[in-house]
Amino acid sequence: QVQLVESGGGLVQAGDSLRLSCAASGGTFSSYIMGWFRLRPGKEREFVAVISWSGRNTDYADSVKGRFTISRDNAKSTVYLQMNSLKPEDAAVYYCAAGGDEHFPPDGYDYWGQGTQVTVSS
């Protein structure tokens, strides 16, 4: 019932910044914890960041701490990922996901977006 659509991906140079957006619709999105994941070539899907829909709690992968910031705009039903000081190893398809609000971080995610490509040149 929840639909997620990512946008904002593109090609940037190492050291640059990029902001990804994920717009949610479906009527029940406010009950979900929102997360960002990424898939790099030859690797498994990995966790990037998570935020409670209220914004009270956040968590980040060690690899992005201090560089990435997750935020949300509840009025727009949108979650963002601000990515600064991008590195070539950050290049991936980034996915937005919605998970149940029973635990933080959630045990799993129920809905996924289609992904947006981020390419970082060195």
Side-chain angles (χ1 to χ4, degrees), residues 32-116:
Y32 289 88
I33 295 171
M34 305 299 298
W36 287 97
F37 291 77
R38 67 187 182 186
L39 183 62
R40 295 186 284 173
K43 298 184 178 181
E44 299 290 329
R45 180 191 66 194
E46 62 182 317
F47 165 79
V48 175
V50 62
I51 186 170
S52 60
W53 198 243
S54 67
R56 296 173 190 156
N57 304 101
T58 60
D59 197 17
Y60 299 89
D62 289 340
S63 59
V64 307
K65 285 182 178 178
R67 299 189 298 118
F68 290 11
T69 302
I70 188 170
S71 62
R72 83 289 174 231
D73 186 333
N74 290 334
K76 297 181 179 179
S77 299
T78 301
V79 63
Y80 305 95
L81 185 67
Q82 177 66 45
M83 305 183 293
N84 297 328
S85 301
L86 283 162
K87 305 174 180 179
E89 52 263 44
D90 293 320
V93 178
Y94 283 74
Y95 297 90
C96 178
D101 203 22
E102 292 293 323
H103 309 282
F104 189 89
D107 294 331
Y109 293 83
D110 303 311
Y111 303 96
W112 296 82
Q114 83 289 345
T116 186

